[in-house]
Amino acid sequence: NAGVTQTPKFQVLKTGQSMTLQCAQDMNHEYMSWYRQDPGMGLRLIHYSVGAGITDQGEVPNGYNVSRSTTEDFPLRLLSAAPSQTSVYFCASSSDLGETQYFGPGTRLLVL
Amino acid sequence: AQSVSQHNHHVILSEAASLELGCNYSYGGTVNLFWYVQYPGQHLQLLLKYFSGDPLVKGIKGFEAEFIKSKFSFNLRKPSVQWSDTAEYFCAVNLTGGGNKLTFGTGTQLKVEL
């Protein structure tokens, strides 16, 4: 199993550009989440999904969209990038509510 | 809203020293508790977790944590640290039945010197 994979590893955007961060898992997990990690702030939940077709907002959802058309994939979309979205983004999945989350390697995003 | 506090932001220890990292949470209900570790250049991985039962839980690499319900605490301990324990440590809390929403502390950066 590859576990949780994320692409790209690094990305530089200009303010106003859009992009999609990809996340995929091959563990047949129902639950997937997106976090951003900023220095001194830990990880903060952006959006999460409890199954295909079901998503909900986390702590910091503004500026981000998600969809979950399949169990495996959970892409995160930035519609109009802003410098405040410069961060490291982690995708995670788990088999059940409250269970151990498995994290991807992260995407480092710089918005100029 | 629930919150998680990690009191030590940066800790520097010599090899073989004992480690205790504090973690407190604010929610009064039933919780699941986790410690995750992020080694330099790597992604987060689970160190240990507590769901129920014995409040003293043991994890990988000699780490353990004790859940003290009356103090809303879940402190991480290791009797003798190694240079390879240099990493960032995150405490996280999930409300039982509260969905897949994990609340993380701000993290503790541990540096172990030879």
Side-chain angles (χ1 to χ4, degrees), chain B residues 25-87:
Chain B
Y25 62 94
S26 63
Y27 185 68
T30 304
V31 294
N32 297 327
L33 299 158
F34 304 82
W35 276 97
Y36 284 87
V37 60
Q38 187 176 27
Y39 296 103
Q42 297 187 26
H43 54 91
L44 279 85
Q45 55 187 286
L46 182 70
L47 203 53
L48 48 78
K49 62 185 179 183
Y50 173 81
F51 286 1
S52 63
D54 188 343
L56 183 63
V57 293
K58 295 189 183 300
I60 60 173
K61 302 186 180 184
F63 286 90
E64 64 179 31
E66 185 176 12
F67 171 51
I68 303 179
K69 189 175 182 180
S70 61
K71 294 185 178 181
F72 300 94
S73 70
F74 190 56
N75 291 354
L76 181 71
R77 300 195 292 249
K78 186 172 184 179
S80 176
V81 295
Q82 300 174 312
W83 177 81
S84 58
D85 293 325
T86 294

Side-chain angles (χ1 to χ4, degrees), chain A residues 32-62:
Chain A
M32 297 186 74
S33 304
W34 275 103
Y35 297 88
R36 59 178 289 173
Q37 183 182 24
D38 301 292
M41 303 189 75
L43 279 82
R44 292 179 292 168
L45 182 66
I46 304 171
H47 285 284
Y48 67 102
S49 170
V50 299
I54 306 170
T55 64
D56 204 349
Q57 295 181 350
E59 182 184 354
V60 287
N62 292 340

